[in-house]
Amino acid sequence: MSREQLAVQQARKAFLTGGSKPLEYRIKQLKNLNRFITERATDITNALRKDLYKSENATQMFEIIGLEGEINLAVSNLTEWAAPRPVNKTLLTISDEVFIQPEPLGVVLIIGAWNYPIAVTLQPLVGAIAAGNAAVVKPSEVSSHTAKVMELLSLYLDPEMYQVVTGGVPETQELLKQRFDHIFYTGNSTVGKLVMEAAARHLTPVTLELGGKSPCYIDKNCDIRIACRRITWGKYINCGQTCIAPDYILCESSIQDKVINEIQKCIQEFYTKDPKTFADYGRIINQRHFKRIMALLEGSTVVIGGDSDESECYIAPTVLRDVASGSKVMQEEIFGPILPIITVNGLNEAIQFINEREKPLALYVFSSSSKVIKRMISETSSGALLANDCLVHFTISDLPFGGVGNSGTGRYHGKYSFDQLSHLRSCLIKKLNMEGVNQMRYPPHTTEKLRWARVFLLKQVNLARWRQIAQVAMLAALAAFVMKRFLR
Amino acid sequence: MSREQKAVERARKAFLTGRSKSLEYRITQLKNLLRFVRERQNEIAEGLKKDLRRSEFGTPLYETLGLESEINLAVRKLKDWAAPRPVSKSMMTISDQVYIQPEPLGVVLVIGAWNYPWAVTIGPLIGAIAAGNAAVIKPSEVSSHTSKVMEDLLPLYLDKELYPVVTGGVTETQELLKQRFDHIFYTGNGTVAKIIMEAAAKHLTPSTLELGGKSPCYIDNNCDLAVACRRIAWGKYSNCGQTCIAPDYILCDPSIQDRVIEEIKKNIKEFYTEDPKKCLDYGRIINERHFKRLMALMEGSSVAVGGENDESECYIAPTVLRDVKPDAKVMQEEIFGPLLPVLTVSGADEAIKFINQREKPLALYIFSSDNKLIKRMIAETSSGGVLANDCLMHFSESSLPFGGVGNSGMGRYHGKYGFDHLSHLRGCLIKQLKMEGVNKMRYPPHTADKLGWARFFILKHVDFGSVGRMALLALLAVFVAVILQRNYTD
């Protein structure tokens, strides 16, 4: 039996003991996960520094805080999330118990990515644990040092219930042969298709958090200085290796120069005149991606940055101007610190440009005009839309985070993680009395029985509304009584 | 270009014109669908009679009333469902617009089944239309007469380009599955479902798979057996057992087996007369292949009730098998026919164990007067849905999501769930270009001080909902205090 097969078997055995069902257990594991990130902060920071040249504060800011927030949210809300959810009653169910019961799915496979390895591998795990599942965690081998640190999870979490399996392509393929109850994958669409195909063999549902080219439209009518500040931040964090980084800019040619100027100013302010020597500016993950990104520059005009150092996988914060839509840099998700600017003749052309392409994970629009923003929303589609800022929708746990079309399927964060990795089971508990009502459905079928069936199935009585009206009436009566008695 | 390719291309082109975006347009199409269902009852009934020997009453009762109800609900609620859904605010988003915007996905493929061809083909279509999608409808070729009715008549009521009907068999379905869709909604069996999901994977297309399985039916000693068996007999033999959520087999204590069989026999007689073959309300097996499959399942088991059959008519009598073994032929696959095996178990523990040794079913039925037992069974098993003390009825509850788990399927529909499932629920955050000072904490150079602020804003959770409620309560308390004070100083 392969190591992977063994891990999955152990996880399933642990799940079948029912150990992960009690909420106390899940909360304990979540708190242990919290301890892992606080007690092993140094290990995590060192690993991320080696993998992505991430500074200690950047690690805290962009990996740890968000994860902590998700854990805290799950711990404080778990009782509510896991409780039976009552549902609207109708005439037919007026004396029944009707509710949705969240249940664990079983064994969840989580395949992490390398760009924010802690965040995108462990945040789904929070959802998996909260929902009462067992999990097999497969961190990305590309962020190899962080993968090694994640092996320490077995010192904090139940090592049978939550297995960490490291390895590369062959190990992942071996994992994908096994049967899971859900597969949560973060990465690119090529591998996403392979994951879904493998899942199909077991009828396993999947969540695919993919990517794409997230457009960033800058309207003439906006505070360009602030807009560029936020865009610069969103683009060059983690050296552009962010699934929701603004991939490219669309703006009118009349403001292109101003945009370039402002971005240049911000790059300097954030990363000093020499980003290479600056601790808060990262590196490209490895040589393969370094070469890939450098090749994308071909045929475009560099207006800021462009310098690079292969030995360090360093690429300066770069901006390209007057980029043609057919250029190399526009053929794939950049996932690097290259920011192309494409000029368009206004909103119409921008919308057309965006719609000619695959639905992205994020769509950014910078404008002071609420009309422009609303038009952009209604005439395009994307995983999410953020107006007048970048990236921050990721931290709003009440917003579902996920893609559509090529950018992915499924969503998570906050309660969505819990729901996505649960089975929301419909429950209807009737009684064995009132059998008379059922006469209308039994053969022999007659016209009269059918007439009754029509009444019960089609008559819509909004019981919730009646309850509301009754409550208001009672309150009004009480108020009248009080006023009469006491306000003489 | 193949016929299938053309239909999909036209649907996509029609979708891209944007005409299915407006709610008025969707409501018009839904109302047209309603007119179709009402005006064409005769043609629908004729088709069902030829396909499944469905009685005249069976058409509205089991197919079209449910559709009417779903269409009415969608028409009434569409504005609510399609509106932006506001989301709780936090300190960081207090001055922003934060909401979820439902949007159409694009072109949905609906592959229907043959057992309730209208319910399971048009049911998903309602959700697809309501959500603003285009839809390619592929009815099951097995219920061929119904398929013809759909092909001939739907285009007279619905937008032909947005909602084309593509008929055909395996070859045509395979051709359709090569095309790119934004969602595939399939109702049928697990074998084909795997093929569909595999095809969907090539385009990263999400799918809803409404499958089946062996839905167990546990009868507790502690319950009104007469009523229980009545409901079970109805749930089992409707449509000749060809229902995805039919109670597949019974689990009960050996001490009540005889009584259970007696009661079911009584009800079979009451529903379908002494000679079900002649009863108009009793259906037929869909075709010879399934007839042979079902007859073979009886091998090795004892027939307690029924067993009669007639291949020339694809007729199998309402049948009950007793003392069935777990490894009997009839327990190896979903029956989907009028054979009801009774297996004896020594109580709820054994029943739960039995159920959990098998794939998660689409439905789990429990008959008991003991609410504790019911809750126990729910807690210790899993299934698409659970229904205690009745059969099938959860299907018509539009406030309950209908769908499977594990081998019984993925995704769900009915009511708002159909709308949501065939929509993209897009997260929207609209900020303003001011208050830039607050953002300082996130910009490089990253300092411990800035980090402190970031921690504060991201981790401090202020529930504005409860703060609002507390403020209201405080106001009420003040009001009451004022009144009381006035009264006591009078």
Side-chain angles (χ1 to χ4, degrees), chain B residues 10 124 130 258 285 423 434 486:
Chain B
R10 269 180 42 214
D258 286 333
I285 304 307
S423 298
K434 47 189 178 133
R486 284 198 63 192

Side-chain angles (χ1 to χ4, degrees), chain A residues 21 57-58 60-62 65 68-69 73 87-88 90 93 97-100 103 105 179 189 192-193 196-197 200-201 203-205 208 210 222-223 226-227 229-230 233 270-271 278 280 358-359 363 373-374 377-378 380-389 392-393 396 398-400 403-404 406 409 411 416 423-433 435 438-439 441-447 450 453-454 457-458 460 482 486-487, chain B residues 21 57 60-62 65 68-69 76 87-88 93 97-100 103 105 180 182 193-194 197-198 201-202 204-206 209 211 223-224 227-228 230-231 234 270-272 281 359-360 364 371 374-375 378-379 381-390 393-394 397 399-401 404-407 410 412 417 424-434 436 439-448 451 454-455 458-459 461 483 486-487:
Chain A
K21 264 216 137 154
N57 287 330
Q60 277 294 309
M61 184 88 128
F62 299 111
I65 295 182
E68 256 190 73
L73 197 69
V87 128
N88 284 341
T90 62
T93 52
E97 280 180 71
V98 203
F99 59 96
I100 293 168
E103 302 182 336
L105 287 169
R179 183 178 181 186
S189 35
K193 291 178 184 175
M196 205 194 245
E197 216 177 291
R201 291 190 198 97
L203 286 173
T204 300
L208 306 172
L210 311 175
C222 88
D223 185 334
I226 296 183
R229 204 169 161 70
R230 298 178 181 184
W233 171 73
F270 296 160
Y271 303 112
F278 187 61
D280 285 329
E358 293 296 336
K359 296 175 189 177
L363 174 55
I373 295 172
K374 292 282 154 83
I377 296 178
S378 69
T380 63
S381 189
S382 62
L385 183 134
L386 173 41
N388 294 324
D389 208 340
V392 293
H393 61 295
I396 313 254
D398 286 313
L399 278 178
V404 65
N406 266 26
T409 172
R411 67 258 195 100
Y416 293 102
H423 171 50
L424 301 176
R425 187 183 195 187
S426 295
C427 300
L428 174 54
I429 302 182
K430 297 182 87 70
K431 296 200 180 71
L432 284 163
N433 51 18
E435 182 59 2
N438 288 336
Q439 275 296 114
R441 72 191 197 192
Y442 297 135
H445 300 306
T446 65
T447 315
L450 189 64
R454 283 195 79 90
L457 282 175
L458 291 184
Q460 267 295 327
V482 167
F486 296 109
L487 295 176
Chain B
K21 263 218 134 152
F57 295 106
L61 197 62
Y62 295 109
L65 273 183
E68 280 188 60
S69 169
R76 211 172 59 243
V87 133
S88 307
T93 53
Q97 283 180 62
V98 203
Y99 59 94
I100 294 168
E103 303 183 334
L105 286 169
R180 185 179 180 182
D182 300 286
K194 289 178 183 174
M197 195 174 166
E198 217 177 293
K202 296 198 175 65
L204 285 173
T205 300
L209 308 170
L211 311 176
C223 89
D224 184 340
V227 176
R230 197 168 170 72
R231 297 178 181 185
W234 170 71
E270 189 186 321
F271 295 162
Y272 305 114
D281 289 326
E359 294 295 337
K360 295 176 188 176
L364 171 59
N371 199 280
I374 294 171
K375 293 282 158 74
I378 296 179
T381 61
S382 188
S383 62
V386 185
L387 173 41
N389 294 323
D390 208 340
M393 294 305 287
H394 59 301
E397 254 335 280
S399 47
L400 280 177
V405 66
N407 268 24
M410 62 178 76
R412 64 253 198 103
Y417 297 99
H424 171 50
L425 301 175
R426 186 185 197 185
C428 297
L429 174 57
I430 303 181
K431 298 187 84 72
Q432 285 165 15
L433 283 164
K434 47 189 178 133
E436 181 60 2
N439 287 337
K440 268 224 164 267
M441 59 183 174
R442 71 192 199 191
Y443 295 136
H446 301 306
T447 64
L451 190 62
R455 282 194 76 88
I458 298 180
L459 291 182
H461 206 84
I483 296 176
R486 284 198 63 192
N487 178 56

Side-chain angles (χ1 to χ4, degrees), chain A residues 11 115 124-125 152 165 197 217 223 266 299 350 356 385 390 399 404 428:
Chain A
N115 58 341
L125 180 60
L152 295 174
V165 177
E197 216 177 291
Y217 175 67
D223 185 334
C266 290
E356 278 166 4
L385 183 134
C390 288
L399 278 178
V404 65
L428 174 54

Side-chain angles (χ1 to χ4, degrees), chain A residues 159-171:
Chain A
E160 309 259 314
M161 194 73 80
Y162 312 109
Q163 306 263 347
V164 177
V165 177
T166 50
V169 174
E171 287 79 11

Side-chain angles (χ1 to χ4, degrees), chain A residues 27-285:
Chain A
I27 288 174
K28 184 149 170 266
Q29 296 298 315
L30 288 169
K31 288 183 169 167
N32 287 346
L33 186 60
N34 214 2
R35 268 195 316 120
F36 166 77
I37 54 183
T38 34
E39 287 177 16
R40 298 295 178 163
T42 315
D43 293 310
I44 293 172
T45 304
N46 289 341
L48 283 164
R49 186 102 188 129
K50 292 193 186 117
D51 282 330
L52 287 147
Y53 204 71
K54 237 179 255 216
S55 70
E56 185 188 334
N57 287 330
T59 292
Q60 277 294 309
M61 184 88 128
F62 299 111
E63 299 252 24
I64 305 298
I65 295 182
L67 181 57
E68 256 190 73
E70 285 280 306
I71 295 172
N72 289 345
L73 197 69
V75 166
S76 17
N77 288 291
L78 191 56
T79 312
E80 203 191 300
W81 291 352
R85 302 174 187 184
V87 128
N88 284 341
K89 292 202 185 186
T90 62
L91 275 181
L92 274 178
T93 52
I94 196 166
S95 53
D96 307 328
E97 280 180 71
V98 203
F99 59 96
I100 293 168
Q101 177 63 59
E103 302 182 336
L105 287 169
V107 183
V108 177
L109 170 63
I110 297 170
I111 302 177
W114 54 258
N115 58 341
Y116 294 86
I118 296 289
V120 309
T121 314
L122 299 183
Q123 277 194 27
L125 180 60
V126 172
I129 296 175
N133 299 298
V136 174
V137 178
K138 159 69 186 69
S140 170
E141 71 279 15
V142 179
S143 45
S144 54
H145 300 92
T146 312
K148 197 110 195 52
V149 173
M150 282 203 224
E151 281 175 343
L152 295 174
L153 273 173
S154 56
L155 302 176
Y156 291 80
L157 300 180
D158 182 334
E160 309 259 314
M161 194 73 80
Y162 312 109
Q163 306 263 347
V164 177
V165 177
T166 50
V169 174
E171 287 79 11
T172 310
Q173 285 173 331
E174 183 61 24
L175 273 176
L176 288 171
K177 287 194 194 133
Q178 312 313 314
R179 183 178 181 186
F180 293 96
D181 299 287
H182 195 102
I183 298 178
F184 195 113
Y185 169 76
T186 305
N188 66 65
S189 35
T190 310
V191 177
K193 291 178 184 175
L194 296 173
V195 171
M196 205 194 245
E197 216 177 291
R201 291 190 198 97
H202 296 289
L203 286 173
T204 300
V206 302
T207 301
L208 306 172
E209 295 278 332
L210 311 175
K213 292 180 80 59
S214 296
C216 181
Y217 175 67
I218 307 178
D219 189 32
K220 260 203 312 244
N221 175 8
C222 88
D223 185 334
I224 295 184
R225 189 185 61 86
I226 296 183
C228 291
R229 204 169 161 70
R230 298 178 181 184
I231 294 170
T232 307
W233 171 73
K235 178 65 175 188
Y236 300 108
I237 290 290
N238 205 28
C239 237
Q241 298 163 119
T242 310
C243 55
I244 43 171
D247 190 276
Y248 62 96
I249 286 176
L250 292 169
C251 70
E252 286 188 45
S253 49
S254 57
I255 58 169
Q256 188 180 201
D257 288 331
K258 177 128 201 258
V259 165
I260 291 170
N261 241 310
E262 291 296 335
I263 295 179
Q264 182 151 48
K265 270 197 255 164
C266 290
I267 289 175
Q268 217 172 333
E269 186 190 326
F270 296 160
Y271 303 112
T272 76
K273 283 199 144 82
D274 188 10
K276 195 176 182 192
T277 55
F278 187 61
D280 285 329
Y281 188 69
R283 293 292 181 268
I284 305 305
I285 183 75

Side-chain angles (χ1 to χ4, degrees), chain B residues 155-378:
Chain B
L156 305 179
Y157 290 79
L158 297 181
D159 183 323
K160 286 192 262 287
E161 296 179 335
L162 270 176
Y163 317 110
V165 178
V166 175
T167 51
V170 174
T171 327
E172 288 77 12
T173 309
Q174 283 172 333
E175 182 61 25
L176 272 177
L177 288 172
K178 287 194 195 134
Q179 313 311 317
R180 185 179 180 182
F181 293 95
D182 300 286
H183 194 101
I184 298 178
F185 195 115
Y186 169 74
T187 305
N189 68 66
T191 312
V192 176
K194 289 178 183 174
I195 299 172
I196 289 180
M197 195 174 166
E198 217 177 293
K202 296 198 175 65
H203 296 289
L204 285 173
T205 300
S207 31
T208 300
L209 308 170
E210 295 278 331
L211 311 176
K214 292 180 80 57
S215 298
C217 180
Y218 175 66
I219 308 179
D220 190 31
N221 284 12
N222 177 5
C223 89
D224 184 340
L225 279 179
V227 176
C229 292
R230 197 168 170 72
R231 297 178 181 185
I232 293 169
W234 170 71
K236 179 65 177 189
Y237 301 110
S238 290
N239 205 30
C240 237
Q242 297 163 119
T243 309
C244 54
I245 43 170
D248 190 277
Y249 62 96
I250 287 176
L251 291 170
C252 70
D253 200 276
S255 60
I256 57 168
Q257 186 180 203
D258 286 333
R259 173 98 199 275
V260 165
I261 293 173
E262 257 318 298
E263 290 293 334
I264 294 179
K265 193 170 176 189
K266 257 201 273 177
N267 285 300
I268 290 174
K269 200 155 55 152
E270 189 186 321
F271 295 162
Y272 305 114
T273 77
E274 298 267 6
D275 191 3
K277 196 173 181 193
K278 297 212 183 74
C279 178
L280 284 179
D281 289 326
Y282 189 69
R284 293 292 182 268
I285 304 307
I286 183 74
N287 60 23
E288 278 222 9
R289 179 168 78 84
H290 280 281
F291 173 89
K292 290 191 163 106
R293 178 186 67 79
L294 286 162
M295 291 310 297
L297 289 182
M298 284 203 271
E299 205 182 301
S301 296
S302 315
V303 175
V305 178
E308 301 91 1
N309 58 85
D310 180 351
E311 187 164 343
S312 66
E313 277 195 43
C314 286
Y315 167 77
I316 300 179
T319 301
V320 180
L321 309 170
R322 66 171 297 134
D323 295 307
V324 174
K325 299 273 174 301
D327 57 0
K329 278 195 134 190
V330 75
M331 288 306 289
Q332 302 319 309
E333 59 179 78
E334 185 177 357
I335 296 168
F336 224 69
L339 315 175
L340 182 51
V342 180
L343 284 87
T344 54
V345 288
S346 49
D349 282 338
E350 206 188 316
I352 290 172
K353 193 159 165 235
F354 190 94
I355 292 165
N356 287 341
Q357 280 167 345
R358 288 157 176 74
E359 294 295 337
K360 295 176 188 176
L362 187 54
L364 171 59
Y365 297 111
I366 309 162
F367 285 82
S368 177
S369 308
D370 180 357
N371 199 280
K372 266 216 188 107
L373 176 80
I374 294 171
K375 293 282 158 74
R376 220 195 112 198
M377 282 205 101
I378 296 179

